[in-house]
Amino acid sequence: MMTTPIHVPVLLQEVLDHLVLPPAARILDLTLGLGGHAEALLAKADAASRYLGVDRDPEARALATKRLGSDGRLSLLASAYEDLWEDSHFQAWKAAQAPDGFDAILADLGVSTLQLRSPERGFSFRDEGPLDMRMDQEHGLSARAWIAEQTDESLADAIYQYGEERASRPIARAILRALHEGRLETTHDLAKAVYTVIPREPAKRKGHSDPATRTFQGIRIAVNGELDRLAASLEAAVSHLRVGGRLAVISFHSLEDRIVKQTLRRLAGIYDGPGRTAPIELPKVLKLIHAGGIAPSEAEAAANPPSRSARLRVAERIA
């Protein structure tokens, strides 16, 4: 029997406060997950509203269906948000239900609690599991298979670029050495390879995060292509908003947040490039709400530690 894991949606009240829902609202959830935000937004929406929840993870969709499936306003779509815009099922749903666009679009980026707490998914080194890390286990290469295709240089680049790990080169060599010696099958094996470069105990004594954290993040992002089309997807999302509709994006690390921030600022007509003026006039299609972003309250961070690194950015379509 499938049981629904305990799920605490991050920045929930802030999302509810900033996604304004008119009567008969049309809502798009690009990363449905376990449906925590969806449940609250559906409770806020009226009976004529319609909610499209999108997720690439079959297990997440199944659990969200169990949680929300009795609500006739909800439709589910199997897709990664990066691929959604060309999906024929999405286009058909939008043509029928939201031909004029969406009033609210939500994207809660990163790995879900479900994925992190499931050892068989291979996202975390807290419990030993297969070295997988795929958000959709039905497609793509597992982390181990992806690592097996890398060179010292390409693996180090991914760990440095996506994990922001300064010791990426010796760590990459240690990982590939473990692979070639038959010692890289599980999440614990990957963590042990990192610890040969950055010992775990000194970091623990100093109160630092586990030395394997950045490497796991870098490999996970590379395996799932999480940042490859994020900016383009945000631009596509904005194009599907009605005037007055709002986009809310929750990110969990600096790389995601930087892309979100820069993309929304550019669509708000704000130039961040070299020099004082833009070489061309930037289109101004968005208005930023809380330009600096919104962080969790101290109470939320204390009650739900995974929320500590989260940041919510909201923008409204104006043209």
Side-chain angles (χ1 to χ4, degrees):
M1 179 178 178
M2 182 180 293
T3 58
T4 304
I6 297 173
H7 172 52
V8 181
V10 171
L11 290 160
L12 178 59
Q13 190 57 52
E14 290 80 358
V15 168
L16 293 175
D17 290 344
H18 288 84
L19 287 183
V20 181
L21 302 184
R26 294 299 184 260
I27 308 162
L28 174 60
D29 190 334
L30 295 174
T31 49
L32 180 65
L34 297 185
H37 288 104
E39 186 174 52
L41 286 165
L42 282 166
K44 180 181 178 180
D46 67 15
S49 297
R50 296 293 180 268
Y51 197 107
L52 179 60
V54 180
D55 207 289
R56 70 169 80 177
D57 187 333
E59 186 179 6
R61 292 196 306 273
L63 289 167
T65 298
K66 182 179 179 183
R67 181 176 193 165
L68 306 168
S70 61
D71 194 320
R73 297 171 295 171
L74 173 70
S75 300
L76 297 182
L77 182 60
S79 176
Y81 66 81
E82 304 98 319
D83 303 321
L84 177 68
W85 317 109
E86 304 302 323
D87 188 295
S88 60
H89 299 289
F90 167 73
Q91 293 171 347
W93 190 95
K94 183 174 181 292
Q97 300 291 346
D100 299 325
F102 293 93
D103 300 288
I105 299 179
L106 172 65
D108 183 1
L109 305 176
V111 185
S112 72
T113 303
L114 166 68
Q115 293 161 337
L116 285 173
R117 293 181 179 175
S118 302
E120 64 273 13
R121 302 300 298 271
F123 285 99
S124 172
F125 46 85
R126 183 180 65 176
D127 298 305
E128 189 164 27
L131 199 50
D132 195 315
M133 298 193 192
R134 287 173 294 174
M135 291 186 179
D136 178 358
Q137 290 185 302
E138 297 177 357
H139 300 93
L141 295 175
S142 68
R144 188 188 182 284
W146 179 84
I147 290 170
E149 292 192 348
Q150 304 308 305
T151 64
D152 285 3
E153 184 176 358
S154 64
L155 180 56
D157 286 348
I159 294 171
Y160 179 79
Q161 181 179 354
Y162 299 137
E164 300 181 291
E165 173 56 72
R166 294 181 179 180
S168 61
R169 295 200 179 281
I171 287 174
R173 289 194 293 270
I175 292 170
L176 292 178
R177 183 163 56 249
L179 174 73
H180 297 147
E181 293 175 359
R183 297 182 287 105
L184 194 70
E185 299 294 335
T186 71
T187 53
H188 282 185
D189 291 338
L190 178 58
K192 288 174 184 176
V194 176
Y195 300 151
T196 65
V197 179
I198 308 176
R200 185 183 188 187
E201 291 308 315
K204 287 179 64 177
R205 287 196 299 270
K206 294 177 182 179
H208 296 167
S209 60
D210 192 289
T213 301
R214 293 180 183 274
T215 295
F216 268 70
Q217 174 181 299
I219 293 175
R220 186 203 83 217
I221 290 174
V223 165
N224 292 288
E226 294 176 36
L227 303 182
D228 292 350
R229 291 180 285 163
L230 177 54
S233 294
L234 293 175
E235 291 187 28
V238 169
S239 74
H240 286 279
L241 278 174
R242 292 175 177 172
V243 173
R246 287 187 173 185
L247 169 66
V249 186
I250 302 173
S251 59
F252 285 86
H253 57 78
S254 60
L255 294 174
E256 282 178 341
D257 184 56
R258 190 178 305 134
I259 293 172
V260 175
K261 174 184 175 181
Q262 292 175 346
T263 303
L264 298 185
R265 282 174 61 83
R266 176 165 47 80
L267 293 175
I270 301 170
Y271 177 65
D272 289 321
R276 294 186 176 182
T277 58
I280 59 172
E281 184 176 354
L282 296 176
K284 188 174 182 179
V285 299
L286 291 179
K287 175 179 71 174
L288 301 181
I289 310 297
H290 291 291
I294 304 166
S297 65
E298 291 185 6
E300 179 175 5
N304 184 22
S307 73
R308 290 173 183 167
S309 61
R311 185 168 292 275
L312 170 66
R313 295 189 182 274
V314 183
E316 182 177 308
R317 180 83 186 258
I318 59 173

